[in-house]
Amino acid sequence: MATDKTNLQLVVNGILNENPIFRLVLSMCPAVGISTTVMNGFMLGIAVLFVQVCSSCTISLFKNVIHPRIRIPTYTLTIATWVTVIDMVLAAYLPEAYAKMGIFIKLIVAFAIITMRLEMFACKESVNASFWDGIGMGLGFMFGMMALGFVRELLGMGTILGYDVLGFKPLLFFVLPFAGFFCVGLMMAFFNYIEIVYKRAKRA
Amino acid sequence: MKTSTMKRIVLLLAVVLALPVLAQAQELIAGKSFGKAKNEIVVTFAGDVDRATVENPANYRVYEEQDPDIKLDLVRVALAPDQKTATLTFKEPLNTRVPHVVSISHLSESGAAATFKVMKPYLGYLFSILVSALLINNFVFTKYLGLCVFFGTSKRKDTAKGMGFTFTMVMVVSAIMSWFFYQFILKPYGLNFLQIVVFIGLVSLTVQAVDTVLRKVNPALFNAFGVYLVLVIANCVIIAVPLILADNEYNFLESFMLALGAGGGFLLALYLMSSVRERMELANIPATFKGVPIAFIVAGQFALAFLGFSGLTLF
């Protein structure tokens, strides 16, 4: 079974239609835990993008030799291997960013989104399609994290990427760690609202 | 007759209880403990002491019990106005988990040094790990772990309870196994970089083992909790425990307490959340907030409430 979507459609699908954070509601832990700044979201996004693309390609490459009964353990070990790689690379070359993200880099291994994509997509499709699907999912995650980070950094600190934009701090509340829950909840409600308004406009 | 016997027993008890205090008084030291700040030790003397002697850092020798050769850098000693309580301030924060040996010379008239050990009560320390994982650093509300399962299974109280107990069980078993692997295989052979691969494998194995054992040993319990076991595999709250205990170099008992606290904390969070969500089904919620968004807002409020535990210090 091969997908009939073009590469571009696969990427866009990951970013919009099946955005991991806002549409599939998966991988919520980092979305709440470390989305305080745009930079944090970007860094973790890069890491997830790397792991997703590499694992997707690996599984797609070996899909014919993996016995269906042991496929889940195989996925887990593949992901764990790639997470170890990115964990060591970040610890060596970007120790500051690595310290900020703490345990979440290692926990990429347990992100439901990656296993889900392997199970739903990579184990059936060609390496090429899996690669672009991985890119789409990774970018979708990254954009979700950066959108959250954008709102929280702008409202909480009045800055974007560390540059002072507003000149004052509107709501310090948003940078406090627990505000992640409120922020995600409010953004989801906002998207729901847009959807409701859109449907109403369509019907009328 | 009877009352006098009672009196005698009470007197005897009082003497026995007071003995350690008396013995210490002979050594001039009435009490010692780690101070409020991380780089302090507080010593209480039994009687009045000479201010010049006590406040001279050169008279002190302080070291961790396992490293007698490494003398800790003492910056200054301040004697309180009551002439009895001295606060020793060190250059660097002390590792309060290990016993420290303090020896003060020129204190008594004979010039002999008074040597004593300062340590935290170990049971209290274990208990504080448990309470910390349970409330202060609750895995859901202050570490933001396991949220997928948290939002997925907190719709009903029964499910929440089952899920919480299953999680606690798997967490404790997998933490103990990971501890053995880490201490006796990964560390001695320098395989630390394999942590993630080994721990995730162990967790999957544990889930499979718990599944099989439960099915044979207690079918009733298996029928109640079995369905949740599948969800447990590769959940971030479970894999986080081995990673944390490896990072902190916890020993066996400490690891056990951490796993128990983490599991209990997860159970507590699930139960609280499900109680609220059951009530919310009857409430009139705006259409845009129905379902997941309102659950996030409620979780945020719980997180705010749990923030109140952050000042809690025990022992």
Side-chain angles (χ1 to χ4, degrees), chain A residues 30-199:
Chain A
V32 172
I34 55 165
S35 62
T36 43
T37 62
V38 181
M39 201 57 202
N40 273 0
F42 178 71
M43 291 302 299
L44 194 73
I46 291 280
V48 169
L49 181 69
F50 173 81
V51 175
Q52 177 76 70
V53 170
C54 289
S55 328
S56 280
C57 288
T58 316
I59 291 297
S60 179
L61 206 59
F62 292 107
K63 60 179 180 288
N64 294 330
V65 290
I66 297 171
H67 194 280
R69 277 184 67 187
I70 55 152
R71 66 183 195 288
I72 299 285
T74 319
Y75 298 162
T76 313
L77 286 180
T78 312
I79 299 170
T81 313
W82 287 114
V83 171
T84 310
V85 170
I86 193 76
D87 183 65
M88 290 166 90
V89 168
L90 284 182
Y93 291 104
L94 295 167
E96 271 178 36
Y98 181 74
K100 255 188 209 159
M101 285 180 284
I103 201 169
F104 278 110
I105 287 283
K106 283 180 182 160
L107 288 183
I108 292 177
V109 73
F111 281 9
I113 177 68
I114 299 177
T115 321
M116 197 202 85
R117 274 339 270 184
L118 297 185
E119 168 79 11
M120 307 262 294
F121 198 93
C123 70
K124 299 173 200 151
E125 305 287 350
S126 67
V127 178
N128 184 42
S130 302
F131 175 78
W132 290 107
D133 180 70
I135 294 262
M137 279 295 147
L139 283 180
F141 178 83
M142 193 157 97
F143 284 146
M145 286 292 289
M146 282 170 75
L148 274 171
F150 181 82
V151 171
R152 287 181 75 179
E153 198 178 343
L154 188 69
L155 291 181
M157 309 274 289
T159 62
I160 288 175
L161 281 169
Y163 294 107
D164 209 332
V165 180
L166 293 181
F168 66 100
K169 294 176 181 175
L171 281 165
L172 192 60
F173 170 78
F174 274 101
V175 281
L176 299 177
F178 59 84
F181 284 117
F182 291 105
C183 205
V184 174
L186 290 175
M187 277 180 88
M188 278 179 178
F190 177 68
F191 286 132
N192 281 353
Y193 178 72
I194 291 179
E195 205 177 319
I196 289 172
V197 169
Y198 177 73
K199 272 185 189 158

